Amino acid sequence: MKVIQLGGANDGLCHFLSLGGFEMLLDCGVKMQSLVREDQQGRGSVYRLQLPALSSVDVAALDVVLLSNHLTLLALPLLTEVLGFKGRIYATQLTLDFGRVFLEELAALTQGDGSAVFVFEGVTDGLETELPMYSLKEIEKCYKKIQCVEYSEVVPLVYGVQVTALSSGHSLGASIWLVEGPNDRLAYVAAASGDYNRHPKELDLMPLVDCETLLLTDLKPDRDPHSNTERMVEHVLSGVTRVLERGGVCIVPTSPCGVVFDLVEAVYAACLHNKQNVPMYFISDHASRVMELTQLGAEWLCEKKIEKLYAGEDAFLHESLLKNNLFHAVADVTAATAATFQNGSIIFAGHPSLKFGRAPELIHMLGNESRNAVLLIDPSVDATDAFAPFQDLKIEKIACPIDPRLSCGDANQFIARCCPNNLIVPYEYTIAPPTSAAEGAEMSSHFSRVLPLHELTAAKTKTELLTFPMKQFEPIVIEKTSKYLDGRLDPKLAAQATITEVNGKAAACVSGVLNVKRKAFVLGPSLVFPAIPSSSDVSDESKLKGTGKRKASSISDADASSTPQSIDYKEKSNLLLGQVDEDRLMKQVKTHDPQAQVYISQGQGDADVFMSIPSLDARITLWKETGKTLVETEKEDARALLTSFILAQLVVISQG
């Protein structure tokens, strides 16, 4: 198995995966944090966005693309319509529905006198460094090539590889991907959330327990243990309450998915508590469509929301507020009345970067009054950079990010419960915070607060957890020496087996031929070759005759009897099943010699137990996991005695 990081650690996610004979892309995002707007004199604006290093892989040779959420598919139209991808694409329906809203928002950047281009990261000489923004037509063609998967649906590929979409708890339809092959089992966890008080279905943990490899990325950068989602929402609510008390308008730049649905409910509850009867608006070109999407995909909702549906109620509060005209989903600012801006209100609008969308228009419209405020809640947006164009305006600027993703502390608990053999995590999450300003200058400030995973992650019992820090463009190769495969025993061979009970389970020694039938392994009876016929069974016509000048001759009975015959010889051997228990072995020794002293200690190296018996001048070493026992003594009678004690604890199955 090979993994290569092509995108960022928490922005523009994209990973190359080679597993089970397949070459895949895990996500195909765009680095939204790289969005730059360049104003050209008299010629409009040019938006520049950075792509993952898609040019470093052979796109035409890729077999599969797996998409995790609505933010990790923003480069997909380029992959299918420009770069020549011809494989299969899998995503959940809600991921595609919400993702389409984001794709169309980016495509709208080219409307009017504006333009937008994508810039490749890590591009090599001789390749095109820029690509134009995709069109609505290209988005439509791209979506026709995507196959939707249901929650927990197992999608079989060929060569025994299968993929399963599970809930990541981040947003509606956002998924964890479990990729299973004949020799590998990888869980790809991107932008997961462990909060249980939000609307999405909780993070699926049980299917990931004992996964062999865990690829964990897109974590919350903030290392503050008190910085949970509830505290973040409280910070927002305190700002909203303060602004409404002075009759101001709260502008909340947000994406049309995810946290906004939880925030609407929290804000309304706070307004009721404070007796602040103010209207709420959601302004977007896709406002009505987004509201409709929340009524789909009940399997991706948390238990509380599902209980409301069973009770005949609306799953989301905003659905009831829309019916009662307390919440308005509109496409344009002009739909809001003048009283909305005079007596206070709450307006949710995009884009959270404040570089395009309705939010910048609203800030310029209401920015000359200090009673109004803009609350920046998107954790991926740099507040200093976003507020820079509006510094001269009197409007209050509040940075109060809400980040529901797993923190490093949450991630360590998640890792401990999953118990993977191998952990792949971006290098940025494994380095210690800087101790000096000089070190901090060399590191990305975005990751300077990350708590090192390698200091918190506990090793598994008996098996060391291997952590692979992942750096961009540096392949991570995980090799396995052996693997057991599930097989089936042919009924004829099973009928010949002699069953022996071992610790309450049935065991038997069988010998046969392994066949592959319809991708299944079947152990059947050994092939029986026909015996060589004797001369008496051979007719005169079938007797060998010479040719040419040699005289005809026949094989006599004596000649036949002297023909060499094959001899099937099998040495008799036994199978030993069970496990040697050191306490029981000590009791056996003391029963034989009550005066004997037995000392038991931890084994050296990879050994589990070391026993010393001075009276017999013997030492016993036990390797329990590999089923190996070593008896060391120069006395043959002591060796025979201890061997008999050990065999008494085991079940012997004869192979002869």
Side-chain angles (χ1 to χ4, degrees), residues 512-542:
V513 177
L514 187 64
N515 300 303
V516 180
K517 297 180 179 179
R518 297 179 181 177
K519 302 179 184 179
F521 296 94
V522 181
L523 185 64
S526 301
L527 298 178
V528 179
F529 295 97
I532 299 176
S534 63
S535 59
S536 59
D537 298 328
V538 182
S539 62
D540 294 338
E541 290 78 12
S542 62

Side-chain angles (χ1 to χ4, degrees), residues 316-339:
F316 288 90
L317 177 62
H318 67 252
E319 297 174 11
S320 301
L321 298 179
L322 283 169
K323 297 175 184 177
N324 297 320
N325 291 324
L326 298 175
F327 182 73
H328 310 275
V330 296
D332 196 84
V333 179
T334 56
T337 62

Side-chain angles (χ1 to χ4, degrees), residues 199-469:
H199 66 277
K201 186 176 181 64
E202 292 82 0
L203 171 63
D204 273 318
L205 178 65
M206 292 308 297
L208 307 184
V209 173
D210 291 329
C211 64
E212 294 170 0
T213 303
L214 175 64
L215 173 51
L216 183 63
T217 187
D218 202 4
L219 303 177
K220 182 192 304 181
D222 195 350
R223 64 176 285 180
D224 184 359
H226 302 293
S227 181
N228 55 40
T229 306
E230 292 183 0
R231 285 179 174 267
M232 296 177 188
V233 172
E234 289 175 2
H235 187 196
V236 175
L237 296 181
S238 65
V240 170
T241 301
R242 188 176 70 253
V243 174
L244 293 180
E245 286 177 348
R246 64 187 186 219
V249 177
C250 295
I251 303 173
V252 185
T254 180
S255 299
C257 183
V259 173
V260 63
F261 301 129
D262 302 302
L263 190 57
V264 168
E265 298 186 5
V267 168
Y268 181 74
C271 290
L272 282 181
H273 181 267
N274 299 323
K275 298 180 180 179
Q276 296 171 324
N277 186 17
V278 296
M280 290 192 293
Y281 286 85
F282 179 69
I283 302 178
S284 169
D285 291 336
H286 313 280
S288 58
R289 195 206 312 183
V290 170
M291 295 298 107
E292 292 174 357
L293 290 178
T294 59
Q295 302 175 21
L296 306 176
E299 67 273 17
W300 294 99
L301 293 175
C302 66
E303 292 298 327
K304 292 181 179 179
K305 299 293 185 186
I306 293 177
E307 290 175 2
K308 286 187 175 182
L309 291 177
Y310 281 133
E313 303 175 8
D314 293 321
F316 288 90
L317 177 62
H318 67 252
E319 297 174 11
S320 301
L321 298 179
L322 283 169
K323 297 175 184 177
N324 297 320
N325 291 324
L326 298 175
F327 182 73
H328 310 275
V330 296
D332 196 84
V333 179
T334 56
T337 62
T340 299
F341 304 122
Q342 294 176 359
N343 302 324
S345 61
I346 303 169
I347 302 176
F348 300 92
H351 185 265
S353 66
L354 302 184
K355 294 179 181 177
F356 65 93
R358 306 296 184 191
E361 298 177 15
L362 288 167
I363 294 175
H364 283 295
M365 183 186 303
L366 305 173
N368 291 323
E369 296 188 49
S370 59
R371 65 188 179 97
N372 301 326
V374 52
L375 295 90
L376 205 59
I377 66 170
D378 195 309
S380 65
V381 176
D382 185 283
T384 303
D385 179 58
F387 287 143
F390 312 103
Q391 286 301 322
D392 296 336
L393 299 178
K394 297 180 181 179
I395 189 171
E396 183 180 3
K397 306 163 190 70
I398 305 173
C400 44
I402 302 177
D403 195 344
R405 293 173 296 180
L406 294 177
S407 66
C408 278
D410 297 331
N412 283 302
Q413 295 182 26
F414 178 74
I415 294 166
R417 295 179 67 182
C418 289
C419 298
N421 294 328
N422 308 298
L423 172 65
I424 302 176
V425 65
Y427 170 75
E428 291 89 338
Y429 297 135
T430 64
I431 54 179
T435 56
S436 65
E439 292 181 11
E442 297 177 359
M443 294 173 53
S444 170
S445 61
H446 193 60
F447 292 105
S448 61
R449 302 182 302 276
V450 174
L451 200 60
L453 280 175
H454 69 277
E455 293 184 3
L456 296 178
T457 303
K460 291 176 59 180
T461 306
K462 299 288 181 71
T463 304
E464 189 72 21
L465 173 66
L466 299 178
T467 302
F468 297 87

Side-chain angles (χ1 to χ4, degrees), residues 451-522:
L451 200 60
L453 280 175
H454 69 277
E455 293 184 3
L456 296 178
T457 303
K460 291 176 59 180
T461 306
K462 299 288 181 71
T463 304
E464 189 72 21
L465 173 66
L466 299 178
T467 302
F468 297 87
M470 181 170 52
K471 294 184 179 181
Q472 204 169 24
F473 312 131
E474 295 186 7
I476 293 177
V477 180
I478 299 177
E479 296 181 351
K480 298 186 63 177
T481 56
S482 63
K483 173 70 179 180
Y484 291 107
L485 298 176
D486 292 332
R488 185 167 58 87
L489 195 62
D490 186 275
K492 294 181 180 179
L493 184 59
Q496 302 172 9
T498 302
I499 303 298
T500 303
E501 183 181 351
V502 181
N503 298 331
K505 297 182 180 180
C509 178
V510 294
S511 176
V513 177
L514 187 64
N515 300 303
V516 180
K517 297 180 179 179
R518 297 179 181 177
K519 302 179 184 179
F521 296 94
V522 181

Side-chain angles (χ1 to χ4, degrees), residues 90-157:
Y90 296 101
T92 65
Q93 184 64 59
L94 284 175
T95 290
L96 296 178
D97 291 337
F98 283 109
R100 187 160 191 157
V101 173
F102 285 74
L103 288 170
E104 292 179 4
E105 282 185 345
L106 289 181
L109 295 178
T110 59
Q111 294 179 356
D113 56 357
S115 63
V117 295
F118 291 104
V119 181
F120 277 114
E121 181 180 8
V123 69
T124 57
D125 294 339
L127 294 177
E128 187 69 30
T129 58
E130 291 186 356
L131 290 176
M133 174 62 67
Y134 38 72
S135 63
L136 295 178
K137 185 177 180 180
E138 288 176 320
I139 295 174
E140 181 68 27
K141 292 172 65 177
C142 170
Y143 263 53
K144 291 180 179 179
K145 302 173 182 177
I146 303 175
Q147 180 176 336
C148 293
V149 298
E150 301 295 334
Y151 166 70
S152 195
E153 177 186 354
V154 178
V155 181
L157 307 178

Side-chain angles (χ1 to χ4, degrees), residues 628-639:
K628 180 181 176 182
T629 303
L630 175 64
V631 179
E632 298 176 280
T633 180
E634 295 182 357
K635 301 178 180 179
E636 289 302 323
D637 55 343
R639 186 190 309 277

